Amino acid sequence: MSEALALARTCDFYVCHHGTVQHKIGWFTCVPGVVHANTRVAQSKPALSVAAQTEGGQPPSYLPAELIEDEASNAHGALADALRHENYTIVSVDEACRFVLSEVKATTALKT
């Protein structure tokens, strides 16, 4: 984890799954990024609450829910519901890449 955080500080942009590593990047750096997650997480629009966990936190962009397709889950119950760990597939890698590149371009434009 410490190596991931040290490397994250040297980056201009990141792409990461929603969860532990992404939260640490968001909490300990000001690096912009795109996060991918299942549709339930993406539709909950957590970017502002993720950024609010640290002073001066920058909200990450989330891959749009229309680019994600959840896989059927056999996990049920309160714990499974709270963890929201459902598997998913990115339905159009080309569209997802275009989205990420547009976010990279937008953040690069802010620096110049």
Side-chain angles (χ1 to χ4, degrees):
M1 182 60 73
S2 61
E3 290 175 351
L5 292 175
L7 287 171
R9 289 188 177 120
T10 68
C11 297
D12 294 322
F13 196 87
Y14 69 90
V15 178
C16 191
H17 178 270
H18 173 87
T20 303
V21 174
Q22 187 281 321
H23 293 334
K24 301 301 185 283
I25 295 169
W27 293 347
F28 296 110
T29 74
C30 292
V31 177
V34 168
V35 180
H36 56 91
N38 60 52
T39 57
R40 188 159 49 145
V41 169
Q43 289 171 341
S44 72
K45 305 211 183 288
L48 293 178
S49 63
V50 167
Q53 300 305 309
T54 185
E55 185 176 329
Q58 182 168 348
S61 297
Y62 275 74
L63 197 63
E66 60 267 14
L67 296 178
I68 302 163
E69 183 177 283
D70 290 336
E71 295 180 13
S73 174
N74 294 333
H76 299 288
L79 179 60
D81 192 50
L83 292 176
R84 301 180 179 184
H85 284 170
E86 297 94 353
N87 290 330
Y88 58 93
T89 300
I90 296 173
V91 296
S92 174
V93 173
D94 288 343
E95 286 297 319
C97 288
R98 279 191 273 283
F99 178 81
V100 170
L101 290 173
S102 72
E103 294 297 309
V104 170
K105 186 176 179 180
T107 59
T108 303
L110 293 175
K111 289 183 178 184
T112 57

